[in-house]
């Protein structure tokens, strides 16, 4: 069994790795694992803000394994299947190539030249980020010198 009760997990590579190894996986319901795991089918979502519920879910899983000797294998096999359906390097590479093609097509049809692109970015900087940059306090040289 693998547990990842993080408050938030951006993607969840360790979750994917655990499921690939066939470990029944309990992971946070916040972030990437919410998409990776099908709750109760290929693993389990736990809410890190409710540890009592997470503990009860794990205890129920082990109780079910005790009653049904195939329960562990059922969750394990569903986890492996989920990974091979959605998270293989082949699938990732195909998506990346599709995105590269879309970007290449956009670049071709937009006909933006480098100068036009630079002007657009400068305009965006002056309109949006210049004021934000002004609001960042400058470091006091005396304070920096004293801290070194």
């Amino acid at each position: 069994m693998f547990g990842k009760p993080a408050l938030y997990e951006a993607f969840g590579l360790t979750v994917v790795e655990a499921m690939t190894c066939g470990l029944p996986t309990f992971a946070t319901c916040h972030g990437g694992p919410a998409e990776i795991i099908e709750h109760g089918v290929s693993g389990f979502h736990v809410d890190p803000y409710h540890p009592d519920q997470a503990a009860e879910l794990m205890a129920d899983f082990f109780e079910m394994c005790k009653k049904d000797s195939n329960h562990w294998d059922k969750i394990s096999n569903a986890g492996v299947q989920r990974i091979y359906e959605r998270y293989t390097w082949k699938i990732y590479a195909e998506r990346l190539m599709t995105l590269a093609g879309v970007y290449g097509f956009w670049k071709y049809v937009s006909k933006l030249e480098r100068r036009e692109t630079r002007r657009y970015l400068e305009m965006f900087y002056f309109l949006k980020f210049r004021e934000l940059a002004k609001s960042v306090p400058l470091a006091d040289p005396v304070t920096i010198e004293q801290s070194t």
Side-chain angles (χ1 to χ4, degrees), residues 80-144:
V80 171
Q81 181 180 349
R82 176 79 171 167
I83 296 305
Y84 283 114
E85 288 173 354
R86 307 229 11 214
Y87 299 99
T88 65
W89 280 112
K90 182 177 186 239
I91 294 168
Y92 175 77
E94 287 170 355
R95 287 181 183 167
L96 188 60
M97 294 306 291
T98 299
L99 288 172
V102 168
Y103 172 74
F105 177 75
W106 175 84
K107 188 176 176 184
Y108 175 76
V109 296
S110 70
K111 298 189 187 311
L112 283 177
E113 297 295 327
R114 287 183 186 263
R115 184 180 297 158
E116 291 170 318
T117 304
R118 189 173 46 233
R119 276 193 217 132
Y120 173 77
L121 292 173
E122 286 172 356
M123 177 196 66
F124 189 68
Y125 167 76
F126 283 111
L127 290 175
K128 187 72 178 166
F129 292 113
R130 191 174 190 185
E131 291 304 312
L132 287 173
K134 285 181 185 176
S135 69
V136 175
L138 296 175
D140 181 15
V142 175
T143 307
I144 292 173

Side-chain angles (χ1 to χ4, degrees), residues 8-20:
Y8 180 81
E9 183 72 29
F11 173 68
L13 183 58
T14 55
V15 171
V16 171
E17 291 169 342
M19 291 171 70
T20 302

